[in-house]
Amino acid sequence: MSNVFCQCDKCERDILVGETMVSLTMAKDKIIDESCIQPVFVNTVGMWCQACASHVVDKQVKLHKTMFD
């Protein structure tokens, strides 16, 4: 029996442990110094199976590109 990791946000198919998936996350970081970055905010925009990823990732990047502007 395979373990389900998550579901694809487009086709809603179970993504199983061991499969390949694509996720899109956005992060806002504070630069402390040359060698230290402190995460301030991280949000997962979506997770997709490999088959659906190419159809949605470009669209999601454009939609969320200005979130931190």
Side-chain angles (χ1 to χ4, degrees), residues 4-63:
V4 176
F5 178 74
C6 64
Q7 286 187 322
C8 175
D9 288 335
K10 183 171 187 209
C11 71
E12 298 182 356
R13 180 182 73 76
D14 290 342
I15 299 173
L16 306 176
V17 172
E19 286 189 282
T20 300
M21 68 170 226
V22 174
S23 63
L24 179 62
T25 58
M26 291 190 309
K28 184 175 184 178
D29 302 316
K30 180 176 182 178
I31 302 169
I32 304 300
D33 60 37
E34 296 86 6
S35 62
C36 183
I37 297 173
Q38 179 181 21
V40 176
F41 171 82
V42 178
N43 186 30
T44 300
V45 175
M47 291 185 271
W48 302 276
C49 66
Q50 192 168 3
C52 292
S54 62
H55 301 288
V56 296
V57 172
D58 288 339
K59 182 179 177 181
Q60 291 294 320
V61 169
K62 289 175 188 173
L63 285 172

